[in-house]
Amino acid sequence: MMKSLLPQSQLRRSAAAAAAARSSGGGAASGGADGAGSDGGAGGRVPAASTFWFLLHALCCLVSLFLGFRFSRLLFVLLFSTTALYSSTSSSSSSAVLRATTTTTTTTTTTTTTTNTITLSFAATANPPPSTSVNYSALDSAASGHTQSHVVVGRHGIRIRPWPHPDPVEVMRAHRIMERVQEEQRRWYGVKEPRQVLVVTPTYSRAFQALHLTGLLHSLRNVPYPLTWIVVEAGGTTNATASLLARSGLTIVHIPFPDRMPRDWADRHTTENRMRLHALRVIRERKMDGVIVFADDSNVHSMELFDEVQKVQWMGAVSVGILAHTGTADQPRLSEEDKQNMPLPVQGPACNSSGQLVGWHTFNSLPFAGKTATVVGEAAPVLPRGLEWAGFVLNSRMLWKEAEGKPDWVKDLDAVGENGEEIENPLTLLNDPSSVEPLGNCGRKVLLWWLRVEARADSKFPQGWVIQPPLEVVVPAKRTPWPETTAALSSELLDTKQDQEDRRLSRTNRSSQSRSTTKRKGDVQGQQN
Amino acid sequence: MPLALLRLRLRLRLLLLALALLLVASSGVASGQDTERIEGSAGDVLEDDPVGRLKVYVYELPTKYNKKMVAKDSRCLSHMFAAEIFMHRFLLSSAIRTVNPEEADWFYTPVYTTCDLTPWGHPLPFKSPRIMRSAIQFVSSHWPYWNRTEGADHFFVVPHDFGACFHYQEEKAIERGILPLLRRATLVQTFGQKDHVCLKEGSINIPPYAPPQKMKTHLVPPETPRSIFVYFRGLFYDTANDPEGGYYARGARASVWENFKNNPLFDISTDHPPTYYEDMQRSIFCLCPLGWAPWSPRLVEAVVFGCIPVIIADDIVLPFADAIPWDEIGVFVAEDDVPKLDTILTSIPMEVILRKQRLLANPSMKQAMLFPQPAQPGDAFHQILNGLARKLPHHNLNSGHKVLNWTQGPLGDLKPW
């Protein structure tokens, strides 16, 4: 509808052209009366008068040539301005006009002073032509007594306040409004009775523990539900772990586990399972109520996971994205066909078309056969085994000895794992694995990612991430007066590093030649990378 | 057990059951979401069923008035003026249609006056008066019902910019006025402005057509938090037709831009993002300023997506104004108050905002703004019929003397089509 006026531009141009033609013909725009009058007058007068009219005509032509439709509009307005005084709407329109005119003078739009004055008078008399015609048509129409509308057609000023910038008080009010609206939205559409989330994490003290626990800590801090973090630590509780957990501000249950974490991935897997079972027993003892999420410390969790697990009745399964590629050079070379046929690296429930659980997707580890890491710290991909615990969520009441409505397809916790048998995945807790609820749009949404990353065996990260003693200068910065020191690394390493920096510096130097050349020799420069 | 005691117990149980039902009914909570019933000045009429309250006779005009136009350009079915075509299709298969004109309360003339499109898809109104006049001549010469009442029990759908004034430019539209032959008929139009020539008394105001299927495919989950305070996408200056500014939208859109382009609370721009509908669902307020005409499909989109419409158009008449209490649902800002828009919006009390959202969440409100195919109960087609039913019984059908002047109007309109 706004664009429906495209032809109007042509109309306007033609109107302007017509106006120009008329003004050249008669010295007045669109009002033909004046032109007729002047023509009539010219016919019956003395030649001196005719030359006067001719000169006036020429003058008007020249002026309209430069000012265009504005000139003709001004003339029209001036000639018909008397009608404004007699218009019935002049009072209301003039007040509107006054406001309009004051703002046109303060507008920051670039209008010359001449046009400003023209708009001033034009706005004052914009009403009469439409209003007079409106009056006629109002009289014409059969309906009785159209009261004159105070909304006028025509050019209006663009109202701009003197300081068009946001007011901080109003911004705060707006934010409060948004918060309240969002709270209301949560009340309407969100979870009705949010349950507590019990997060079970097996961990042990090692170089990357701080990395993993910090990430998990921040994720858990953002969960909008009441949360209890149950951390089971292999090898007993340590101060390092305890200090990390204390800084989180969450409710922590720090449980020691007597055995140390083995260095073999397979054994480590088993120990983690036993640690999780231990945590489940603690939950049962303390009769903790809520939804149990198995969050391994190196995994990454999305916020939607915690919203989704609120829907679980007894036991649910979510889709887990498996990140097995470590980016090393020893990746399995897959043909194009293999890549096409390879199933998704996702572990999760598989549903039929009616949304019922029919099976499980697991990670296909065949392409990785023989190239996986066996020892922690080895530079090779680490793969999950079978079904990972991370993809399952439990209702803690399922573990209690007596709970209302506890289904009979749940085994008693005491009957599991006591005789040292291995617990591969939580399905062993059930008599009937088909009663697991698929969550996350029947497993279509991947809600968390499984990843195992540990420090390489030969890496030398500082103990407790505190650099003691302070670092010495190992590699001198280019173009400094500092003396060359004996490096801790081998000299070859030093040379290769310097070559790299040379190349990098030369690249930046090429781009910022003026900068580097103007620097004096005595200045201390940092590395420009 | 004694019989009397049993009877007493039964009565007590029935009483308890009744009380429980009453409580549940009065709480009015449906699927965890509080909505409020919408009552306009005509009462709680949004969910009325027009079947049985009126009968409409549909004239059979030659296809040059309707089908051939659509066949020539099928864009007519998806632009914002498509209501006239869909109304015809709905009436043809509706239960309120009658094939006996003697028992009809209303007569409908299916003439598509907004289907003559430019190559860019904009309707040209230059032939529309002639088309309408020709249709009325056909109707009056083939059936006696037009001449019987001079069209007082006939209704026409005229969804163009300024309704039956048949022009896109307001000054010219005002100059022309409503087509003289339609003086006695009821007009169903999208344009509405108080005390304007192109709005006749007794007209039924309808929303413009917005494609319901397209909007449904862009729905996001309702728990997505509304994090945009004010949202608007559209032109602020129409440089093609109004190079100086101040004409387009009476300067109101330009004023919005100049005052709030630096305000982070206002997400306004001329971009056309692919996430337009999704963004509206993430906003609390959606601006609906006037353009060249005061109405726009933005109002429909805002209502469907639950965004409180901020209407900046002086004296506008909104669709189904007697059935929908618009001042309780939308925010009305005078064009002169646009520089203070942020102050106005942030000082609305919280309960008022929440109430407006509750009213907007009412599904009957959203349904009343849409033209779904096939028609569903409570949609805009039914609201139009309800409006027509509320105008019954007819008054002043036979005024005695002839009012219509068949040669009135500009000469160009009198040419046959």
mmCIF file of all heavy atoms in Angstrom, chain B residues 41-80:
data_model
loop_
_atom_site.group_PDB
_atom_site.id
_atom_site.type_symbol
_atom_site.label_atom_id
_atom_site.label_comp_id
_atom_site.label_asym_id
_atom_site.label_seq_id
_atom_site.Cartn_x
_atom_site.Cartn_y
_atom_site.Cartn_z
ATOM 1 N N SER B 41 -17.914 -3.043 22.706
ATOM 2 C CA SER B 41 -19.062 -2.209 23.037
ATOM 3 C C SER B 41 -20.357 -2.917 22.681
ATOM 4 O O SER B 41 -21.415 -2.602 23.225
ATOM 5 C CB SER B 41 -18.970 -0.874 22.302
ATOM 6 O OG SER B 41 -18.913 -1.109 20.913
ATOM 7 N N ALA B 42 -20.286 -3.883 21.780
ATOM 8 C CA ALA B 42 -21.511 -4.601 21.425
ATOM 9 C C ALA B 42 -21.713 -5.814 22.313
ATOM 10 O O ALA B 42 -22.606 -6.613 22.078
ATOM 11 C CB ALA B 42 -21.438 -5.036 19.958
ATOM 12 N N GLY B 43 -20.850 -5.973 23.307
ATOM 13 C CA GLY B 43 -20.988 -7.121 24.192
ATOM 14 C C GLY B 43 -20.011 -8.219 23.836
ATOM 15 O O GLY B 43 -19.077 -8.022 23.068
ATOM 16 N N ASP B 44 -20.219 -9.386 24.396
ATOM 17 C CA ASP B 44 -19.310 -10.508 24.204
ATOM 18 C C ASP B 44 -19.699 -11.218 22.915
ATOM 19 O O ASP B 44 -20.305 -12.276 22.920
ATOM 20 C CB ASP B 44 -19.449 -11.449 25.407
ATOM 21 C CG ASP B 44 -18.336 -12.477 25.426
ATOM 22 O OD1 ASP B 44 -17.551 -12.525 24.459
ATOM 23 O OD2 ASP B 44 -18.252 -13.228 26.408
ATOM 24 N N VAL B 45 -19.343 -10.604 21.772
ATOM 25 C CA VAL B 45 -19.873 -11.076 20.492
ATOM 26 C C VAL B 45 -18.842 -11.731 19.618
ATOM 27 O O VAL B 45 -19.134 -12.109 18.497
ATOM 28 C CB VAL B 45 -20.535 -9.908 19.715
ATOM 29 C CG1 VAL B 45 -21.761 -9.445 20.422
ATOM 30 C CG2 VAL B 45 -19.555 -8.775 19.549
ATOM 31 N N LEU B 46 -17.594 -11.849 20.110
ATOM 32 C CA LEU B 46 -16.560 -12.379 19.230
ATOM 33 C C LEU B 46 -16.828 -13.813 18.827
ATOM 34 O O LEU B 46 -16.423 -14.252 17.768
ATOM 35 C CB LEU B 46 -15.191 -12.330 19.927
ATOM 36 C CG LEU B 46 -14.286 -11.157 19.584
ATOM 37 C CD1 LEU B 46 -12.918 -11.399 20.130
ATOM 38 C CD2 LEU B 46 -14.216 -10.918 18.089
ATOM 39 N N GLU B 47 -17.478 -14.575 19.693
ATOM 40 C CA GLU B 47 -17.666 -15.990 19.386
ATOM 41 C C GLU B 47 -19.081 -16.292 18.934
ATOM 42 O O GLU B 47 -19.497 -17.436 18.939
ATOM 43 C CB GLU B 47 -17.293 -16.829 20.603
ATOM 44 C CG GLU B 47 -15.785 -16.812 20.820
ATOM 45 C CD GLU B 47 -15.399 -17.414 22.145
ATOM 46 O OE1 GLU B 47 -16.195 -18.194 22.680
ATOM 47 O OE2 GLU B 47 -14.313 -17.097 22.650
ATOM 48 N N ASP B 48 -19.805 -15.269 18.517
ATOM 49 C CA ASP B 48 -21.161 -15.508 18.036
ATOM 50 C C ASP B 48 -21.141 -16.306 16.753
ATOM 51 O O ASP B 48 -20.235 -16.176 15.930
ATOM 52 C CB ASP B 48 -21.842 -14.153 17.745
ATOM 53 C CG ASP B 48 -22.379 -13.535 19.009
ATOM 54 O OD1 ASP B 48 -22.291 -14.186 20.067
ATOM 55 O OD2 ASP B 48 -22.880 -12.411 18.938
ATOM 56 N N ASP B 49 -22.169 -17.064 16.556
ATOM 57 C CA ASP B 49 -22.292 -17.821 15.323
ATOM 58 C C ASP B 49 -23.340 -17.160 14.450
ATOM 59 O O ASP B 49 -24.504 -17.051 14.837
ATOM 60 C CB ASP B 49 -22.714 -19.264 15.662
ATOM 61 C CG ASP B 49 -22.670 -20.152 14.447
ATOM 62 O OD1 ASP B 49 -22.092 -19.727 13.423
ATOM 63 O OD2 ASP B 49 -23.186 -21.274 14.520
ATOM 64 N N PRO B 50 -22.940 -16.681 13.259
ATOM 65 C CA PRO B 50 -23.919 -15.957 12.452
ATOM 66 C C PRO B 50 -24.938 -16.870 11.780
ATOM 67 O O PRO B 50 -25.950 -16.384 11.283
ATOM 68 C CB PRO B 50 -23.053 -15.264 11.402
ATOM 69 C CG PRO B 50 -21.823 -16.102 11.312
ATOM 70 C CD PRO B 50 -21.603 -16.692 12.647
ATOM 71 N N VAL B 51 -24.666 -18.191 11.749
ATOM 72 C CA VAL B 51 -25.588 -19.085 11.044
ATOM 73 C C VAL B 51 -26.953 -19.010 11.703
ATOM 74 O O VAL B 51 -27.087 -19.191 12.909
ATOM 75 C CB VAL B 51 -25.060 -20.532 11.084
ATOM 76 C CG1 VAL B 51 -26.073 -21.477 10.485
ATOM 77 C CG2 VAL B 51 -23.751 -20.627 10.335
ATOM 78 N N GLY B 52 -27.973 -18.765 10.902
ATOM 79 C CA GLY B 52 -29.330 -18.683 11.427
ATOM 80 C C GLY B 52 -29.754 -17.264 11.759
ATOM 81 O O GLY B 52 -30.925 -17.009 11.992
ATOM 82 N N ARG B 53 -28.776 -16.327 11.765
ATOM 83 C CA ARG B 53 -29.160 -14.969 12.114
ATOM 84 C C ARG B 53 -29.341 -14.100 10.888
ATOM 85 O O ARG B 53 -29.897 -13.016 10.976
ATOM 86 C CB ARG B 53 -28.087 -14.358 13.014
ATOM 87 C CG ARG B 53 -28.030 -15.055 14.350
ATOM 88 C CD ARG B 53 -26.878 -14.578 15.189
ATOM 89 N NE ARG B 53 -26.971 -13.146 15.427
ATOM 90 C CZ ARG B 53 -25.941 -12.396 15.767
ATOM 91 N NH1 ARG B 53 -24.758 -12.931 15.887
ATOM 92 N NH2 ARG B 53 -26.088 -11.108 15.971
ATOM 93 N N LEU B 54 -28.832 -14.546 9.749
ATOM 94 C CA LEU B 54 -29.039 -13.730 8.551
ATOM 95 C C LEU B 54 -28.933 -14.637 7.343
ATOM 96 O O LEU B 54 -28.435 -15.761 7.425
ATOM 97 C CB LEU B 54 -28.010 -12.588 8.459
ATOM 98 C CG LEU B 54 -26.593 -12.884 7.989
ATOM 99 C CD1 LEU B 54 -25.900 -11.609 7.598
ATOM 100 C CD2 LEU B 54 -25.784 -13.620 9.025
ATOM 101 N N LYS B 55 -29.376 -14.113 6.202
ATOM 102 C CA LYS B 55 -29.268 -14.841 4.951
ATOM 103 C C LYS B 55 -28.687 -13.898 3.912
ATOM 104 O O LYS B 55 -29.095 -12.735 3.820
ATOM 105 C CB LYS B 55 -30.654 -15.313 4.488
ATOM 106 C CG LYS B 55 -31.251 -16.378 5.395
ATOM 107 C CD LYS B 55 -31.571 -17.633 4.612
ATOM 108 C CE LYS B 55 -31.938 -18.803 5.480
ATOM 109 N NZ LYS B 55 -30.784 -19.424 6.102
ATOM 110 N N VAL B 56 -27.740 -14.400 3.159
ATOM 111 C CA VAL B 56 -27.077 -13.568 2.160
ATOM 112 C C VAL B 56 -27.304 -14.180 0.783
ATOM 113 O O VAL B 56 -27.128 -15.381 0.592
ATOM 114 C CB VAL B 56 -25.564 -13.477 2.449
ATOM 115 C CG1 VAL B 56 -24.861 -12.724 1.346
ATOM 116 C CG2 VAL B 56 -25.323 -12.800 3.782
ATOM 117 N N TYR B 57 -27.688 -13.353 -0.161
ATOM 118 C CA TYR B 57 -27.844 -13.805 -1.538
ATOM 119 C C TYR B 57 -26.651 -13.308 -2.332
ATOM 120 O O TYR B 57 -26.326 -12.127 -2.301
ATOM 121 C CB TYR B 57 -29.143 -13.267 -2.133
ATOM 122 C CG TYR B 57 -29.346 -13.684 -3.567
ATOM 123 C CD1 TYR B 57 -29.735 -14.992 -3.880
ATOM 124 C CD2 TYR B 57 -29.121 -12.793 -4.620
ATOM 125 C CE1 TYR B 57 -29.910 -15.393 -5.185
ATOM 126 C CE2 TYR B 57 -29.301 -13.181 -5.927
ATOM 127 C CZ TYR B 57 -29.682 -14.477 -6.204
ATOM 128 O OH TYR B 57 -29.849 -14.882 -7.505
ATOM 129 N N VAL B 58 -25.969 -14.209 -3.037
ATOM 130 C CA VAL B 58 -24.784 -13.831 -3.801
ATOM 131 C C VAL B 58 -25.177 -13.701 -5.267
ATOM 132 O O VAL B 58 -25.605 -14.665 -5.890
ATOM 133 C CB VAL B 58 -23.682 -14.899 -3.645
ATOM 134 C CG1 VAL B 58 -22.449 -14.489 -4.404
ATOM 135 C CG2 VAL B 58 -23.356 -15.115 -2.175
ATOM 136 N N TYR B 59 -25.032 -12.487 -5.821
ATOM 137 C CA TYR B 59 -25.348 -12.283 -7.237
ATOM 138 C C TYR B 59 -24.355 -13.057 -8.094
ATOM 139 O O TYR B 59 -23.182 -13.155 -7.766
ATOM 140 C CB TYR B 59 -25.236 -10.809 -7.594
ATOM 141 C CG TYR B 59 -26.372 -9.951 -7.116
ATOM 142 C CD1 TYR B 59 -26.131 -8.798 -6.371
ATOM 143 C CD2 TYR B 59 -27.684 -10.263 -7.418
ATOM 144 C CE1 TYR B 59 -27.169 -7.994 -5.943
ATOM 145 C CE2 TYR B 59 -28.728 -9.463 -6.986
ATOM 146 C CZ TYR B 59 -28.466 -8.329 -6.251
ATOM 147 O OH TYR B 59 -29.489 -7.539 -5.829
ATOM 148 N N GLU B 60 -24.862 -13.548 -9.242
ATOM 149 C CA GLU B 60 -23.939 -14.218 -10.157
ATOM 150 C C GLU B 60 -23.565 -13.234 -11.245
ATOM 151 O O GLU B 60 -24.328 -13.013 -12.186
ATOM 152 C CB GLU B 60 -24.640 -15.428 -10.774
ATOM 153 C CG GLU B 60 -24.518 -16.623 -9.902
ATOM 154 C CD GLU B 60 -24.242 -17.885 -10.704
ATOM 155 O OE1 GLU B 60 -23.692 -17.778 -11.820
ATOM 156 O OE2 GLU B 60 -24.598 -18.946 -10.195
ATOM 157 N N LEU B 61 -22.397 -12.672 -11.091
ATOM 158 C CA LEU B 61 -21.958 -11.712 -12.097
ATOM 159 C C LEU B 61 -21.148 -12.430 -13.161
ATOM 160 O O LEU B 61 -20.572 -13.488 -12.893
ATOM 161 C CB LEU B 61 -21.076 -10.638 -11.437
ATOM 162 C CG LEU B 61 -21.774 -9.648 -10.523
ATOM 163 C CD1 LEU B 61 -20.772 -8.588 -10.098
ATOM 164 C CD2 LEU B 61 -22.934 -8.984 -11.213
ATOM 165 N N PRO B 62 -21.066 -11.877 -14.356
ATOM 166 C CA PRO B 62 -20.190 -12.463 -15.371
ATOM 167 C C PRO B 62 -18.757 -12.525 -14.857
ATOM 168 O O PRO B 62 -18.328 -11.695 -14.053
ATOM 169 C CB PRO B 62 -20.295 -11.492 -16.556
ATOM 170 C CG PRO B 62 -21.420 -10.609 -16.275
ATOM 171 C CD PRO B 62 -21.799 -10.708 -14.849
ATOM 172 N N THR B 63 -18.010 -13.506 -15.354
ATOM 173 C CA THR B 63 -16.685 -13.730 -14.771
ATOM 174 C C THR B 63 -15.726 -12.575 -15.023
ATOM 175 O O THR B 63 -14.686 -12.484 -14.378
ATOM 176 C CB THR B 63 -16.056 -15.007 -15.354
ATOM 177 O OG1 THR B 63 -16.105 -14.911 -16.786
ATOM 178 C CG2 THR B 63 -16.806 -16.229 -14.896
ATOM 179 N N LYS B 64 -16.043 -11.652 -15.925
ATOM 180 C CA LYS B 64 -15.101 -10.561 -16.135
ATOM 181 C C LYS B 64 -14.966 -9.695 -14.891
ATOM 182 O O LYS B 64 -13.994 -8.963 -14.728
ATOM 183 C CB LYS B 64 -15.515 -9.708 -17.337
ATOM 184 C CG LYS B 64 -16.698 -8.811 -17.096
ATOM 185 C CD LYS B 64 -16.808 -7.794 -18.235
ATOM 186 C CE LYS B 64 -17.981 -6.864 -18.002
ATOM 187 N NZ LYS B 64 -18.097 -5.800 -18.981
ATOM 188 N N TYR B 65 -15.942 -9.770 -13.999
ATOM 189 C CA TYR B 65 -15.881 -8.976 -12.778
ATOM 190 C C TYR B 65 -15.078 -9.649 -11.688
ATOM 191 O O TYR B 65 -14.652 -9.012 -10.741
ATOM 192 C CB TYR B 65 -17.296 -8.711 -12.240
ATOM 193 C CG TYR B 65 -18.100 -7.800 -13.106
ATOM 194 C CD1 TYR B 65 -19.095 -8.308 -13.920
ATOM 195 C CD2 TYR B 65 -17.870 -6.441 -13.119
ATOM 196 C CE1 TYR B 65 -19.853 -7.470 -14.722
ATOM 197 C CE2 TYR B 65 -18.611 -5.602 -13.915
ATOM 198 C CZ TYR B 65 -19.607 -6.124 -14.722
ATOM 199 O OH TYR B 65 -20.346 -5.295 -15.518
ATOM 200 N N ASN B 66 -14.950 -10.952 -11.768
ATOM 201 C CA ASN B 66 -14.234 -11.611 -10.662
ATOM 202 C C ASN B 66 -13.235 -12.655 -11.152
ATOM 203 O O ASN B 66 -12.026 -12.421 -11.100
ATOM 204 C CB ASN B 66 -15.214 -12.203 -9.631
ATOM 205 C CG ASN B 66 -16.501 -12.702 -10.273
ATOM 206 O OD1 ASN B 66 -16.468 -13.513 -11.193
ATOM 207 N ND2 ASN B 66 -17.630 -12.200 -9.803
ATOM 208 N N LYS B 67 -13.710 -13.775 -11.672
ATOM 209 C CA LYS B 67 -12.767 -14.869 -11.937
ATOM 210 C C LYS B 67 -11.718 -14.474 -12.962
ATOM 211 O O LYS B 67 -10.541 -14.806 -12.826
ATOM 212 C CB LYS B 67 -13.523 -16.100 -12.429
ATOM 213 C CG LYS B 67 -14.332 -16.767 -11.354
ATOM 214 C CD LYS B 67 -14.410 -18.268 -11.569
ATOM 215 C CE LYS B 67 -15.324 -18.896 -10.546
ATOM 216 N NZ LYS B 67 -16.760 -18.677 -10.803
ATOM 217 N N LYS B 68 -12.122 -13.737 -14.004
ATOM 218 C CA LYS B 68 -11.157 -13.431 -15.061
ATOM 219 C C LYS B 68 -10.048 -12.537 -14.526
ATOM 220 O O LYS B 68 -8.905 -12.616 -14.958
ATOM 221 C CB LYS B 68 -11.856 -12.739 -16.236
ATOM 222 C CG LYS B 68 -12.612 -13.669 -17.115
ATOM 223 C CD LYS B 68 -12.503 -13.275 -18.595
ATOM 224 C CE LYS B 68 -13.441 -14.145 -19.423
ATOM 225 N NZ LYS B 68 -14.495 -13.397 -20.088
ATOM 226 N N MET B 69 -10.379 -11.686 -13.573
ATOM 227 C CA MET B 69 -9.355 -10.786 -13.033
ATOM 228 C C MET B 69 -8.304 -11.583 -12.281
ATOM 229 O O MET B 69 -7.116 -11.308 -12.383
ATOM 230 C CB MET B 69 -9.994 -9.791 -12.077
ATOM 231 C CG MET B 69 -10.870 -8.805 -12.750
ATOM 232 S SD MET B 69 -11.374 -7.621 -11.546
ATOM 233 C CE MET B 69 -11.668 -6.250 -12.577
ATOM 234 N N VAL B 70 -8.782 -12.570 -11.515
ATOM 235 C CA VAL B 70 -7.829 -13.373 -10.750
ATOM 236 C C VAL B 70 -6.991 -14.212 -11.694
ATOM 237 O O VAL B 70 -5.793 -14.409 -11.489
ATOM 238 C CB VAL B 70 -8.575 -14.271 -9.740
ATOM 239 C CG1 VAL B 70 -7.603 -15.136 -8.988
ATOM 240 C CG2 VAL B 70 -9.362 -13.434 -8.785
ATOM 241 N N ALA B 71 -7.643 -14.687 -12.766
ATOM 242 C CA ALA B 71 -6.902 -15.511 -13.716
ATOM 243 C C ALA B 71 -5.814 -14.689 -14.396
ATOM 244 O O ALA B 71 -4.727 -15.188 -14.692
ATOM 245 C CB ALA B 71 -7.861 -16.082 -14.754
ATOM 246 N N LYS B 72 -6.094 -13.410 -14.603
ATOM 247 C CA LYS B 72 -5.100 -12.560 -15.270
ATOM 248 C C LYS B 72 -3.876 -12.354 -14.387
ATOM 249 O O LYS B 72 -2.761 -12.274 -14.847
ATOM 250 C CB LYS B 72 -5.734 -11.180 -15.572
ATOM 251 C CG LYS B 72 -5.706 -10.831 -17.039
ATOM 252 C CD LYS B 72 -5.946 -9.362 -17.288
ATOM 253 C CE LYS B 72 -7.285 -8.913 -16.781
ATOM 254 N NZ LYS B 72 -7.555 -7.496 -17.111
ATOM 255 N N ASP B 73 -4.099 -12.199 -13.101
ATOM 256 C CA ASP B 73 -2.974 -11.943 -12.196
ATOM 257 C C ASP B 73 -3.266 -12.625 -10.863
ATOM 258 O O ASP B 73 -4.118 -12.166 -10.109
ATOM 259 C CB ASP B 73 -2.813 -10.435 -11.989
ATOM 260 C CG ASP B 73 -1.463 -10.083 -11.398
ATOM 261 O OD1 ASP B 73 -0.832 -10.967 -10.758
ATOM 262 O OD2 ASP B 73 -1.039 -8.935 -11.568
ATOM 263 N N SER B 74 -2.544 -13.715 -10.611
ATOM 264 C CA SER B 74 -2.859 -14.466 -9.396
ATOM 265 C C SER B 74 -2.256 -13.841 -8.148
ATOM 266 O O SER B 74 -2.471 -14.332 -7.051
ATOM 267 C CB SER B 74 -2.351 -15.891 -9.532
ATOM 268 O OG SER B 74 -0.943 -15.867 -9.584
ATOM 269 N N ARG B 75 -1.515 -12.748 -8.295
ATOM 270 C CA ARG B 75 -0.987 -12.090 -7.106
ATOM 271 C C ARG B 75 -2.108 -11.505 -6.268
ATOM 272 O O ARG B 75 -1.926 -11.183 -5.102
ATOM 273 C CB ARG B 75 -0.008 -10.988 -7.491
ATOM 274 C CG ARG B 75 1.328 -11.521 -7.954
ATOM 275 C CD ARG B 75 2.251 -10.417 -8.366
ATOM 276 N NE ARG B 75 1.715 -9.654 -9.489
ATOM 277 C CZ ARG B 75 2.379 -8.674 -10.079
ATOM 278 N NH1 ARG B 75 3.572 -8.342 -9.650
ATOM 279 N NH2 ARG B 75 1.847 -8.018 -11.092
ATOM 280 N N CYS B 76 -3.269 -11.328 -6.892
ATOM 281 C CA CYS B 76 -4.416 -10.812 -6.153
ATOM 282 C C CYS B 76 -4.769 -11.695 -4.969
ATOM 283 O O CYS B 76 -5.433 -11.245 -4.049
ATOM 284 C CB CYS B 76 -5.649 -10.761 -7.060
ATOM 285 S SG CYS B 76 -5.615 -9.445 -8.245
ATOM 286 N N LEU B 77 -4.361 -12.955 -5.011
ATOM 287 C CA LEU B 77 -4.756 -13.879 -3.941
ATOM 288 C C LEU B 77 -3.863 -13.793 -2.735
ATOM 289 O O LEU B 77 -4.152 -14.389 -1.715
ATOM 290 C CB LEU B 77 -4.713 -15.315 -4.474
ATOM 291 C CG LEU B 77 -5.813 -15.663 -5.445
ATOM 292 C CD1 LEU B 77 -5.512 -16.984 -6.101
ATOM 293 C CD2 LEU B 77 -7.141 -15.749 -4.715
ATOM 294 N N SER B 78 -2.744 -13.082 -2.830
ATOM 295 C CA SER B 78 -1.845 -13.069 -1.686
ATOM 296 C C SER B 78 -1.503 -11.676 -1.195
ATOM 297 O O SER B 78 -0.873 -11.532 -0.175
ATOM 298 C CB SER B 78 -0.550 -13.799 -2.022
ATOM 299 O OG SER B 78 -0.015 -13.274 -3.208
ATOM 300 N N HIS B 79 -1.938 -10.631 -1.920
ATOM 301 C CA HIS B 79 -1.620 -9.289 -1.422
ATOM 302 C C HIS B 79 -2.620 -8.901 -0.337
ATOM 303 O O HIS B 79 -3.564 -9.613 -0.056
ATOM 304 C CB HIS B 79 -1.564 -8.264 -2.564
ATOM 305 C CG HIS B 79 -2.883 -8.026 -3.249
ATOM 306 N ND1 HIS B 79 -3.014 -7.132 -4.270
ATOM 307 C CD2 HIS B 79 -4.106 -8.546 -3.067
ATOM 308 C CE1 HIS B 79 -4.263 -7.114 -4.680
ATOM 309 N NE2 HIS B 79 -4.949 -7.969 -3.966
ATOM 310 N N MET B 80 -2.379 -7.753 0.275
ATOM 311 C CA MET B 80 -3.152 -7.407 1.466
ATOM 312 C C MET B 80 -4.594 -7.051 1.159
ATOM 313 O O MET B 80 -5.376 -6.816 2.072
ATOM 314 C CB MET B 80 -2.482 -6.251 2.198
ATOM 315 C CG MET B 80 -2.433 -4.991 1.393
ATOM 316 S SD MET B 80 -1.714 -3.658 2.323
ATOM 317 C CE MET B 80 -0.026 -3.761 1.841
#
